[in-house]
Amino acid sequence: MGALCSNLPVESNVFIALGSNQGDRELNLLRAVAEIGKLAQTRITALSGFYDTEPVGPVDQPNFLNGVLRVETALSPRHLLVELQRIETEVFRRVRDVQWGPRAMDLDILLYGDLILEEEGLVIPHPRLHERRFVLVPLAEIAPGQIHPKLGKRVDELLRSLPPGERVTRV
């Protein structure tokens, strides 16, 4: 009879949004994917296409290139966030001085399995995931049936429910 308890880490399916609007945007996204692929106890299982998108928010800035990555990881949500922020700052020299401002790399945890988490500096699912076409289009490409754990709706349903607007073009 097998053991009821194991010390093996439990892996979760996690979706990470990638965005860049400074420098070589495509190279930046590919570098970010490579860096995430180096994380301990983490493996990449899917990558969406890349999409040229208009910036959202009050800051005038260049268009973004966005994508979504699916990984399986045994890292805790907080540890994963720390690693993603390390990649943003160490690899891409991100400085967080203007909210929603231009950046070489933005990495956000969208979904972490079916987890619902609200801590200081970490909210999962991402609080604006269901409102953003630039996230839902690439997410629906790789996981249309994924359920938003808080809203109980599939990603493709969330995408269809968005009002028209917000241009998202596959490159």
Side-chain angles (χ1 to χ4, degrees):
M1 184 155 157
L4 296 177
C5 186
S6 169
N7 290 329
L8 294 175
V10 175
E11 290 194 343
S12 295
N13 255 336
V14 179
F15 294 89
I16 299 169
L18 309 108
S20 175
N21 74 341
Q22 289 185 321
D24 185 330
R25 301 175 309 158
E26 185 173 6
L27 181 60
N28 288 345
L29 293 188
L30 293 171
R31 282 182 65 204
V33 169
E35 291 296 325
I36 293 167
K38 294 178 189 176
L39 296 178
Q41 300 178 303
T42 302
R43 75 176 173 276
I44 296 169
T45 57
L47 174 62
S48 74
F50 295 157
Y51 294 83
D52 185 74
T53 65
E54 297 167 332
V56 173
V59 179
D60 185 33
Q61 58 188 312
N63 283 357
F64 277 84
L65 200 60
N66 292 97
V68 170
L69 183 65
R70 182 180 65 212
V71 301
E72 289 181 359
T73 187
L75 299 179
S76 71
R78 178 63 65 181
H79 188 176
L80 179 60
L81 176 65
V82 166
E83 290 295 331
L84 295 178
Q85 289 176 339
R86 179 190 60 75
I87 291 168
E88 288 177 343
T89 56
E90 289 181 10
V91 176
F92 294 96
R93 305 290 181 236
R94 180 170 180 184
V95 178
R96 295 174 186 271
D97 52 358
V98 177
Q99 185 175 16
W100 295 324
R103 49 213 177 266
M105 185 50 54
D106 185 30
L107 299 170
D108 291 319
I109 301 171
L110 300 173
L111 297 166
Y112 190 104
D114 58 2
L115 182 67
I116 297 173
L117 178 69
E118 294 188 28
E119 297 178 354
E120 184 161 339
L122 179 58
V123 177
I124 298 172
H126 190 285
R128 290 171 300 282
L129 159 66
H130 61 287
E131 302 168 352
R132 294 186 166 167
R133 188 176 304 276
F134 69 87
V135 171
L136 287 173
V137 168
L139 181 57
E141 179 186 324
I142 61 173
Q146 182 72 32
I147 303 291
H148 187 295
K150 207 167 187 179
L151 301 177
K153 293 186 176 180
R154 293 166 42 117
V155 167
D156 56 357
E157 292 174 311
L158 294 171
L159 179 58
R160 283 194 304 273
S161 71
L162 287 179
E166 194 185 343
R167 183 191 56 74
V168 177
T169 307
R170 176 108 186 221
V171 294

